[in-house]
Each structure stands twice: as structure tokens, then as C-alpha cells.
Amino acid sequence: VNTDDLIEALSGDVRRIPAGRAAQRVACCTLVGLAAAAAVVWLTLGFRPDLTAVLDEAGFLMRQGYVLSVAGFSALLLLRLGQPGAPLRLPLLGLGATLVMILIAVLFEQSALTGPAQAEAWFGQSWRSCTLNVAAISLAASPFLLFAARRLAPGRPTLAGFAAGLVAGAVAASAYGLYCPEGTASFLAAWYTLGILAAGAIGAAAGRYLLRW
Amino acid sequence: VKTLEARLKPLMIAGLEGEASAWREFLKLLRPALHAFFNRRQFYSGADVEDLVQDALLAIHAKRETWRRADLVTSWCFTIARYKLIDHLRKSGRAKLVPLVDDFVLLNDGVEDGAVRQDLDKLLATAPPRSGRSREARRDERRGGQGQSSSRHEELDETGVRP
């Protein structure tokens, strides 16, 4: 193809692109991923029976606050990684601050407990299944996030896949939180975080191949 | 003379508004700059530079919604061009020859003037005036004068003129 002809063809194909369309798509796909993950939890595990009663409990709110904050900042990280030349400072600071907050909560919780109660806070009743469930549920959300990422222009596909996986893992954790009976900060910081990171690793492996453009 | 950045930015904004003529102008302005960019970075691969230019133009067209108004148009464009170059080198099995640190952005010849020149000007403005003088002293030295004599001449100690 002649380059002049290519330029003619491309400039014949311009439609108005509203500012912020990329951000809207990432936000929209994150919400759809959350809905898909919640649907999977509802259909397979079922929501916890006392869900309406715990909606205002500190443990429940802390968990949703933590995983939704991770989801939001990871989504922003995904967006920025897909916008060539965009700064990553804000999402990285947000993720760092979220981690610091949960670590402080763990320190407070553990310092107030003694003996076997400490281990009880770490492992709860369901630590064996939590990480695996979060990672598995994330597979329901990750296609939407990878779709959003494919429309972006990530210079580092593996890293962008990791960010997409983190978003999928965090919304999966939020959905799993509607079933999970645990309420301690230590359990949340250990097993939920591990599940989100596992989802990130899956996303990184997928992104390496799927997010090239 | 307006920089490439100053000329491209209004055209980019108009192009995003859906103005075909502005977008045509944008791509035409970018074409020689991309050509120079790829030409300078062939790494002896003998790649068809025109193919790379077309690849980059297509990607820039397809991905234009990923440009943020807060960012420089030139750095957005050349980040995409660099991605396309690395992609090409990887496909042809020469990715290992891409330097890990992209130091060639400093070999600025006016193509990426927006981003690189702004940064350089900012940095040079913060350099103490002494280093500016010692640069002249070094030039004297290269012209045949002795390092010592030029340092005396510039009232700097010997260490001040060492490169």
C-alpha cells in the first residue's frame, strides 16, 4: 500500500471520539466483571444467609472497602498502562496506601489478641478454600477486563495483563465476600490478597499473548 | 518556528472531534517524523522503514482514543512507534539487540522535540552556571589549549574542567 493512499483512507474514517471514552470502557467492564463474579457466587456457593444483617458490620465493611479500593486503583492502573505516556503515580500510590491501611489494621488486631486467638484470626475456618475460590471466581470477570484492555494500547502487555487480573481478582474477592463468613483483618490481608495476586498472575500470563496489538 | 508538539496538538484535538481534514493533516505531519524515527533505529536489520511507518500510522489511528489531553501528543505517538518497532524486532528475532535503556532519546534531532527538549531545558536551567563555563573551557581545551591554562583563564580550579 502506498502511504499517501493509507493516509487518505484513514482520514476518511474519522468519527467523533468523546474525551474519556477509554476510561468509561474500563469502568464499565469492571462493573460488568463484578456483576458476573457476583452471579457466579450466587449460583454456586450462594450468599451467606445473614447477609442483610452483617451489611453494616465493621468486618464486612472493611473487607468490601479493601477489595473495592484495590479494584478501583488496579482499574486506574490498567487504564494508565494502556495510555502511552500516561503517569502511573496516582494508581500506584493508591494501591500502596490501601496495602498500608490493611497492614495497620492487621497490626492493631493482632496486638489485641493473644495465644491461639492470633492463629484463629489468621486462618479462620476457611483459609484453605478462600484463595482458590477467589482465583477461580476471577475467571468469570477477567474476560471483560481483558476485552477492555485490548482496546487500549499497553506498551507492556504482560504488566497490563497483570493489572487486568488484579481488577478481576479484586471484584471476585468482593463477590466472594458476600458468601465468606470470615471477618478478621488478618484473614483478609492474607488469603484475599493472595487470591487477588493469583488472579493477577493468571492475567499476566494471558496478557502476554492476548494484549499484543 | 513552532515545535512539532505545538502543531500536532490542535490537529489531534480536531481529529478527535471528527474533522477529517485535520486528521489528514496530522498524519501527514507525523509521517516524515516517523520515517526519521525508524530510519535512525534500524539496528542494521534492513527493515522496510516505510512498512514500519504504515504500521505506526495505523496503530496511531486505531488507538487515538488512548491519548489523554494532559499528555504530550509527541510522546504518545513515539511511544506507540517504539512499541511497533520493538514488536517488529521481536517478530524478526532481533529483540535481544534492543538496548534495555533507551538512551537514544537523547540523540534528539528535532523529531521528538516536544518531550525531550522540554525535559532537557528544564534540567539545564537548574545546572549551576559554573558547569556552563567549564563546558566552554573544555571546548577551549579541545581546540589545543592546555587544561591548566584554560582553568586559570576561567578562574576555576583544575577539577572544575575535568569532563
Side-chain angles (χ1 to χ4, degrees):
Chain A
V1 191
N2 183 306
T3 308
D4 291 320
D5 296 341
L6 177 72
I7 289 177
E8 277 308 311
L10 292 181
S11 53
D13 170 41
V14 285
R15 264 158 292 131
R16 192 177 167 279
I17 295 180
R21 181 195 270 184
Q24 279 163 18
R25 189 179 297 112
V26 170
C28 187
C29 288
T30 305
L31 291 178
V32 173
L34 177 61
V40 166
V41 170
W42 184 55
L43 290 173
T44 55
L45 301 164
F47 295 152
R48 56 192 283 183
D50 57 346
L51 185 60
T52 45
V54 297
L55 280 179
D56 56 350
E57 255 177 31
F60 183 85
L61 290 177
M62 174 177 65
R63 181 164 61 205
Q64 291 299 334
Y66 172 63
V67 296
L68 289 178
S69 168
V70 171
F73 284 115
S74 302
L76 187 60
L77 181 65
L78 172 64
L79 176 67
R80 293 284 175 89
L81 281 170
Q83 293 172 317
L88 303 177
R89 203 183 311 124
L90 180 63
L92 291 180
L93 277 177
L95 284 174
T98 308
L99 275 181
V100 168
M101 303 264 265
I102 193 70
L103 287 180
I104 289 174
V106 169
L107 278 180
F108 266 103
E109 185 178 84
Q110 288 289 329
S111 61
L113 298 171
T114 48
Q118 281 187 335
E120 171 82 4
W122 279 117
F123 296 108
Q125 306 298 319
S126 58
W127 68 275
R128 279 190 187 83
S129 52
C130 173
T131 297
L132 207 61
N133 278 336
V134 168
I137 295 161
S138 83
L139 295 179
S142 49
F144 302 104
L145 274 312
L146 287 171
F147 165 78
R150 269 194 71 81
R151 302 295 298 268
L152 300 173
R156 283 163 289 184
T158 309
L159 197 56
F162 179 68
L166 286 185
V167 183
V171 295
S174 171
Y176 181 70
L178 303 177
Y179 156 82
C180 173
E182 313 285 349
T184 65
S186 309
F187 186 92
L188 173 64
W191 310 111
Y192 274 73
T193 308
L194 198 61
I196 294 171
L197 286 175
I202 296 170
R208 193 176 164 184
Y209 299 100
L210 296 179
L211 296 185
R212 289 193 182 148
W213 44 284
Chain B
V1 181
K2 277 176 131 186
T3 59
L4 188 59
E5 174 68 30
R7 282 181 292 164
L8 284 179
K9 189 166 183 175
L11 293 174
M12 175 65 145
I13 291 171
L16 287 173
E17 288 297 321
E19 273 180 45
S21 60
W23 192 241
R24 184 181 301 114
E25 190 68 19
F26 178 92
L27 296 174
K28 278 184 176 164
L29 260 177
L30 206 51
R31 182 187 171 185
L34 288 172
H35 204 279
F37 177 93
F38 288 125
N39 221 356
R40 211 153 6 95
R41 293 165 169 78
Q42 279 194 71
F43 302 113
Y44 317 106
S45 69
D48 189 344
V49 171
E50 204 57 34
D51 274 356
L52 280 168
V53 170
Q54 293 190 359
D55 245 17
L57 286 174
L58 272 169
I60 282 164
H61 175 77
K63 300 289 186 182
R64 61 195 193 279
E65 66 173 61
T66 66
W67 176 66
R68 306 187 325 147
R69 290 185 186 215
D71 297 332
L72 291 169
V73 181
T74 41
S75 71
W76 178 82
C77 288
F78 288 106
T79 305
I80 289 180
R82 186 156 61 225
Y83 177 81
K84 282 293 165 189
L85 176 68
I86 291 172
D87 198 46
H88 164 81
L89 291 171
R90 189 182 49 214
K91 278 179 190 155
S92 55
R94 300 179 63 95
K96 54 185 177 293
L97 291 182
V98 181
L100 214 55
V101 178
D102 189 5
D103 56 353
F104 41 61
V105 294
L106 293 172
L107 299 173
N108 175 31
D109 60 359
V111 175
E112 302 106 305
D113 42 11
V116 177
R117 187 168 300 158
Q118 263 187 10
D119 289 350
L120 271 180
D121 285 349
K122 223 183 284 171
L123 277 173
L124 286 176
T126 62
R130 198 178 89 158
S131 63
R133 260 192 295 160
S134 79
R135 194 170 48 189
E136 275 158 38
R138 244 180 284 151
R139 197 172 52 211
D140 289 344
E141 203 179 337
R142 244 180 282 130
R143 281 178 186 151
Q146 293 295 311
Q148 273 190 329
S149 70
S150 74
S151 71
R152 216 180 304 129
H153 167 68
E154 297 281 342
E155 297 183 353
L156 281 166
D157 58 0
E158 250 183 277
T159 52
V161 298
R162 279 207 192 123

